[in-house]
Amino acid sequence: MATFTSKDVARLAGVSQSTVSYVMSGKRPISEDTRRRVLDAIDRLTYEPNAGARALASQRTNVVGLVVPFGAGVDTTGLLPFIETIAGAARARDHDVLLVTTNEGSAGIRRLAGRSLCDAIILMDLQRDDDRLAVAADVRTPVILIGVPDDPHGLHCVDLDFAEAARLAVGELAATGHDRLALIGHPADIVERDLNYVRRFYDATRAAAASHGLPLDVIAPVEWGREAASGAAAALAAIEARKLGVVIPASNTVQPVLHALNARGLVPGRDISVIGLLTDAAAAETEPPVTNVSLEPRDVSRRAMETLFRLLEAPEPPQVDLITPKLTRRQTVT
Amino acid sequence: MATFTSKDVARLAGVSQSTVSYVMSGKRPISEDTRRRVLDAIDRLTYEPNAGARALASQRTNVVGLVVPFGAGVDTTGLLPFIETIAGAARARDHDVLLVTTNEGSAGIRRLAGRSLCDAIILMDLQRDDDRLAVAADVRTPVILIGVPDDPHGLHCVDLDFAEAARLAVGELAATGHDRLALIGHPADIVERDLNYVRRFYDATRAAAASHGLPLDVIAPVEWGREAASGAAAALAAIEARKLGVVIPASNTVQPVLHALNARGLVPGRDISVIGLLTDAAAAETEPPVTNVSLEPRDVSRRAMETLFRLLEAPEPPQVDLITPKLTRRQTVT
DNA sequence: TTGAAAGCGCTAACAG
DNA sequence: CTGTTAGCGCTTTCAA
């Protein structure tokens, strides 16, 4: 497969190179006749425009930079749907996705922007006070945050409304007559990284419990995996309550805790209630299916991409765009 | 943050633009003195070379294209480690990763190659007879396959040695005195997609069972999730055997089947033996920890990237590079 | 409605 | 050891 240039297309179609360009971009009117000849030449040669040349000339790469949390022991559960949705939305507008990992820190953002590797950047997995934000705000390339840091530095934010999620969970447990609540925390390294949504959820849970007049025990940190889950279950078993309701915001922790409770003879949905913060798909697959507040990465990602493409057409004042979660009753709350 | 060009650096350092380029690439000797001045200028301006311009001039993008299986209901379990390892290896050599999803089909490969978006492509999730292979073989950009199709079309392949994995599993069950084996299959859509490794594993399991003189029941297809796992457990329970050994190559299916067996009072590791094909990390986390044949995406990815960078320096005759799995005894085989 | 031509920012001969 | 210069393949004025 030889590789052709727009010059070859032009020659074959008997037009100038600029005409080929204009046919492709639609940026100026072209007679139906020449347009046909050009398009015909394009696919007879299976011509594809050279991305580097195009980027150089047009200052547009048609690439979206995506900074994802790898490496650091992250809650990676919901990550794939984010990536997938973002990639899909990008392709729908003839853009590609360049992947950068979080462990590069701000250097990754500098590189994406400095080298003009992409037209816009999506930043995930924000810490509450993230040093990458200063860089992100400083850079010419528009940056969209998935997550809401303490200070967004004038950047656009999109995220699930974690405070509302907490309110929904607590509200449901209050409405079903629980007299005491417990919150199962995240692993220590996640808490230490001070991820924005973790704190947002905890704070709102506390506030909601207080406003319902319910005592709240916080069991944290709780690492991933079986052992830690057993420990958490033991701690739950030790709580004195007429009717105890448990909230578990760490998706990965939900299933192990359900098992551990069962193993102690505390059947979720009968002896103890559990509400998890996880995707509907994941909630439907737990054993037993856990009543959940939705955490839908696809919705968040889609919204982020909409914002991104709007920003690429015209600048906009930054805003915080929160997506409302919903509660789905399954088998773990009575 | 204004953005500078190598001309600005040259001016500030009092040298020519080409000298700046050579300092960065190391492609010709530079006196210690000018090198210092240039490097100094570079970081005073926080200069970063424009990727498009560099690609255009050098015919090298410093980008690796990665085609990942999204969308199609894929066994997505082990995907993240692949991506992560590949991204890391790329960064270690100053390359970035451009993500393309499988559901674009061969068009994705055409685009990556045709637009010169990357220097090399890694293709995952191959079907045994994949229409993308013809395109991949036709294209100037080197392509590395993770997986081994029936006909590699002269492309480099890297993968786990699934046949050896099957032999290890069957051998272990034979050695521990099992008189009958069962293989739990994949979901129907995965089988229909005719993924290369699925067939390789099945065939080798059959052959190994035969060579040990052990009867083998194949229970397939088995969908993801609880219900299908119960069905599979029922089928296992119905098999007449003195000592039954089960092999489960679908990572996602291992845990649900273990639960389902337990629920029927068939305790894995006591009443029935189970060997899973999954990563060591995942195996250690199942309940109970399942004896496993390793499926280590990191090793495979690392190897693929080594091959890729070698190929970028000099062409090489294609080869099939199989990574040897190992068996780890945990608690589900007696 | 179309063409000619000037760059975009870099690399890599070629020349000294 | 370093500078000059000719492109890389595209987009986009400017002119017609």
Side-chain angles (χ1 to χ4, degrees):
Chain A
M1 154 156 289
T3 163
F4 294 101
T5 74
S6 67
K7 225 180 209 160
D8 299 314
V9 175
R11 193 174 323 126
L12 183 58
V15 300
S16 76
Q17 203 184 9
S18 63
T19 298
V20 174
S21 174
Y22 284 120
V23 166
M24 299 196 74
S25 71
K27 286 189 182 170
R28 84 180 181 190
I30 302 282
S31 76
E32 197 44 37
D33 178 49
T34 58
R35 138 182 254 86
R36 252 197 212 310
R37 294 213 316 284
V38 169
L39 290 176
D40 194 62
I42 284 178
D43 73 44
R44 275 180 41 203
L45 301 181
T46 61
Y47 163 74
E48 299 259 11
N50 178 295
R54 177 179 276 192
L56 184 56
S58 67
Q59 315 280 44
R60 282 298 226 95
T61 60
N62 273 36
V63 167
V64 173
L66 177 60
V67 183
V68 290
F70 282 157
V74 189
D75 182 352
T76 227
T77 320
L79 189 56
L80 234 31
F82 277 105
I83 301 181
E84 184 181 343
T85 307
I86 288 169
R91 280 311 303 145
R93 311 205 32 171
D94 195 29
H95 282 241
D96 274 294
V97 172
L98 196 71
L99 214 61
V100 170
T101 63
T102 291
N103 50 35
E104 276 200 71
S106 54
I109 298 171
R110 276 240 165 65
R111 189 158 43 85
L112 285 178
R115 298 193 183 178
S116 295
L117 279 162
C118 61
D119 300 327
I121 297 175
I122 294 200
L123 205 52
M124 298 179 54
D125 192 52
L126 300 166
Q127 301 181 216
R128 284 208 308 145
D129 174 17
D130 202 302
D131 59 320
R132 298 173 300 173
L133 294 176
V135 176
D138 183 43
V139 119
R140 296 183 102 68
T141 314
V143 175
I144 309 226
L145 308 179
I146 292 188
V148 185
D150 287 353
D151 172 7
H153 285 66
L155 300 168
H156 289 254
C157 305
V158 180
D159 206 356
L160 190 74
D161 189 340
F162 283 92
E164 177 64 15
R167 268 175 248 127
L168 277 174
V170 170
E172 174 74 2
L173 292 171
T176 47
H178 295 78
D179 66 327
R180 187 162 196 117
L181 304 183
L183 173 66
I184 303 282
H186 288 76
D189 61 331
I190 289 205
V191 173
E192 266 159 35
R193 284 172 54 229
D194 207 9
L195 294 172
N196 68 92
Y197 58 84
V198 172
R199 180 75 68 98
R200 284 191 280 147
F201 191 89
Y202 287 18
D203 288 350
T205 302
R206 274 201 200 84
S211 87
H212 286 284
L214 296 175
L216 171 72
D217 295 286
V218 177
I219 299 171
V222 175
E223 304 303 314
W224 301 141
R226 252 191 335 269
E227 282 171 50
S230 300
L236 290 172
I239 294 174
E240 294 277 336
R242 185 176 48 72
K243 204 175 171 197
L244 179 63
V246 185
V247 180
I248 311 181
S251 307
N252 279 342
T253 301
V254 173
Q255 179 69 81
V257 168
L258 291 175
H259 280 309
L261 287 170
N262 254 318
R264 308 195 131 253
L266 272 178
V267 179
R270 191 190 71 187
D271 311 317
I272 189 168
S273 290
V274 175
I275 296 187
L277 179 65
L278 64 179
T279 66
D280 289 333
E285 281 303 330
T286 59
E287 172 64 45
V290 67
T291 291
N292 73 310
V293 178
S294 69
L295 180 162
E296 297 302 333
R298 285 170 209 285
D299 296 336
V300 174
S301 308
R302 204 152 20 230
R303 191 74 68 86
M305 290 301 277
E306 287 165 9
T307 306
L308 185 154
F309 283 118
R310 256 188 294 114
L311 242 53
L312 250 29
E313 317 221 299
E316 253 180 45
Q319 59 179 88
V320 176
D321 191 358
L322 294 181
I323 289 171
T324 306
K326 66 183 199 313
L327 179 114
T328 303
R329 296 184 181 87
R330 304 183 203 271
Q331 302 174 20
T332 57
V333 175
T334 36
Chain B
M1 152 154 291
T3 164
F4 296 101
T5 73
S6 67
K7 226 180 207 158
D8 299 315
V9 174
R11 193 176 320 124
L12 182 58
V15 299
S16 78
Q17 203 182 7
S18 64
T19 297
V20 174
S21 173
Y22 285 118
V23 166
M24 300 196 73
S25 70
K27 286 190 183 171
R28 83 180 182 188
I30 301 281
S31 77
E32 198 42 40
D33 179 50
T34 55
R35 143 184 248 85
R36 251 197 213 312
R37 294 213 317 281
V38 169
L39 289 177
D40 194 63
I42 284 177
D43 75 43
R44 277 179 42 203
L45 300 181
T46 61
Y47 163 74
E48 300 258 11
N50 179 295
R54 177 179 275 195
L56 184 55
S58 69
Q59 314 278 47
R60 282 297 226 95
T61 60
N62 275 33
V63 167
V64 172
L66 177 61
V67 184
V68 291
F70 281 158
V74 189
D75 180 351
T76 227
T77 321
L79 189 57
L80 234 33
F82 277 105
I83 301 182
E84 184 182 342
T85 306
I86 288 169
R91 281 312 301 146
R93 312 207 27 172
D94 195 30
H95 283 241
D96 274 294
V97 172
L98 196 71
L99 214 61
V100 170
T101 63
T102 290
N103 50 34
E104 277 198 70
S106 56
I109 298 172
R110 276 241 165 63
R111 190 159 41 83
L112 285 178
R115 296 194 183 178
S116 295
L117 279 162
C118 60
D119 300 327
I121 298 176
I122 293 200
L123 205 51
M124 299 180 53
D125 193 51
L126 301 165
Q127 301 182 216
R128 286 207 309 144
D129 175 19
D130 201 303
D131 58 319
R132 297 172 300 171
L133 293 177
V135 176
D138 184 41
V139 120
R140 296 182 103 67
T141 313
V143 176
I144 311 237
L145 308 179
I146 292 188
V148 185
D150 286 351
D151 171 7
H153 285 66
L155 299 168
H156 289 254
C157 306
V158 180
D159 205 357
L160 191 72
D161 189 341
F162 282 92
E164 176 62 17
R167 269 175 247 126
L168 277 174
V170 170
E172 174 74 2
L173 292 171
T176 47
H178 294 79
D179 66 326
R180 188 163 195 117
L181 304 182
L183 173 67
I184 304 283
H186 287 77
D189 60 331
I190 290 206
V191 174
E192 266 160 35
R193 283 171 54 230
D194 208 9
L195 294 172
N196 67 96
Y197 58 84
V198 172
R199 180 72 71 98
R200 281 191 283 148
F201 191 91
Y202 287 18
D203 288 351
T205 302
R206 274 200 200 86
S211 86
H212 285 284
L214 296 174
L216 171 72
D217 295 286
V218 177
I219 300 170
V222 176
E223 303 305 312
W224 300 144
R226 250 188 337 267
E227 281 172 51
S230 300
L236 290 173
I239 293 175
E240 294 278 335
R242 184 178 46 74
K243 203 174 170 197
L244 180 63
V246 185
V247 179
I248 310 182
S251 306
N252 278 343
T253 300
V254 174
Q255 178 71 81
V257 168
L258 291 176
H259 280 308
L261 286 170
N262 254 318
R264 308 194 131 254
L266 272 179
V267 179
R270 192 190 68 188
D271 312 318
I272 188 169
S273 291
V274 175
I275 295 188
L277 179 64
L278 66 177
T279 66
D280 289 332
E285 281 304 328
T286 58
E287 174 64 44
V290 69
T291 291
N292 73 309
V293 177
S294 69
L295 183 158
E296 297 303 332
R298 285 171 210 283
D299 295 337
V300 173
S301 308
R302 204 149 24 223
R303 192 73 70 86
M305 290 301 277
E306 288 164 11
T307 305
L308 185 153
F309 283 119
R310 256 188 294 115
L311 243 53
L312 250 30
E313 318 222 297
E316 251 178 51
Q319 60 178 90
V320 176
D321 190 358
L322 294 181
I323 289 171
T324 307
K326 66 181 199 313
L327 179 115
T328 303
R329 297 185 180 87
R330 305 180 204 271
Q331 303 174 19
T332 57
V333 175
T334 36

